[in-house]
Amino acid sequence: MRPPLPRWIAHRGGGTLAPENTLAGIRLAASLGYKAVEFDVMLTADGTPVLIHDETLERTTNGGGSVCATPDSQLFVLDAGQGERIPRFVDAAALCIELGLLANVEIKPATGHDVATAEVVSRLTVDLWRGAAVQPLLSSFSLVALEVARDVAPEIRSGILFEAPPADWLAELRHLRAFSLHCDAKLLNDEVLAEAQAHDVPVLCYTVNSEKQAKMLFARGVSSLFTDRLDLFPG
Ligand code: G3P
Ligand code: MG
């Protein structure tokens, strides 16, 4: 029997308290008592999976251009905020295992790189977490990536990620053999929630940064919330 999901998940590593998608963010989440972190994983030009959200480097680093067109030799010298480097996925995985954190690994392919990204991340996820006490959760907005994850990493739980769940979300979840439904907290309607509850599908909502909204979502039966406000919510 697998343990239940933690109620709170630190979004992009350490939320807004640390540079996003960095090892410092992951460490901070653990130090604040968080039991779970979410981060985004994309491939560099050399095919190395790294933690980053945007397809381009400008917003979160002192570099520029596309992540998928940047070789490792140029990418790993960039400043991702406060002197942090863009982490390799393998290093983030090792840190989560060391800290006992549940990792929600969001496969975030650059446009057109869904299959390659999902293959690399899924294979590595199986290898890196083999035998670990706390197993990760893969997720993606890319249904193609989730099909690859289903086939390459059937032993790893996955979450199907939407902004607003479409009418056929449950059929998609079954097709992907996914475990959980992840969606924008503002776009979760009662019909979808009731259907999820009727089928024992945990619902996880992003990104919740207000106490009032969190209280309402938990009262409605949502399982877990992704937050940027690690200072506001107890881990
Ligand atoms: O996985 C939940 C959330 O991270 C999805 O949105 O854009 O922050 O990756 P985004
Ligand atoms: Mg994400």
Side-chain angles (χ1 to χ4, degrees), residues 35-164:
K35 301 283 179 266
V37 291
E38 181 264 1
F39 51 77
D40 309 292
V41 184
M42 198 179 292
L43 299 184
T44 68
D46 292 309
T48 305
V50 296
L51 272 56
I52 194 157
H53 179 276
D54 298 2
E55 288 200 32
T56 51
L57 293 158
E58 278 82 354
R59 184 179 62 83
T60 56
T61 77
N62 61 345
S66 299
V67 175
C68 70
T70 305
D72 292 0
S73 58
Q74 288 172 28
L75 187 128
F76 289 123
V77 296
L78 298 176
D79 187 336
Q82 298 171 18
E84 286 294 306
R85 301 294 175 209
I86 296 174
R88 287 177 167 79
F89 174 51
V90 293
D91 293 332
L95 183 60
C96 288
I97 293 166
E98 178 195 323
L99 297 172
L101 290 169
L102 185 148
N104 176 192
V105 179
E106 185 189 331
I107 304 169
K108 190 76 106 181
T111 307
H113 295 254
D114 301 60
V115 171
T117 309
E119 278 179 356
V120 169
V121 175
S122 302
R123 281 213 176 89
L124 269 173
T125 298
V126 171
D127 288 347
L128 294 166
W129 271 274
R130 188 169 285 120
V134 183
Q135 287 292 305
L137 178 63
L138 286 167
S139 66
S140 189
F141 284 110
S142 163
L143 301 181
V144 171
L146 288 175
E147 281 184 342
V148 172
R150 175 196 63 198
D151 298 340
V152 171
E155 64 270 64
I156 305 289
R157 292 192 296 191
S158 68
I160 186 169
L161 181 50
F162 295 107
E163 288 175 356

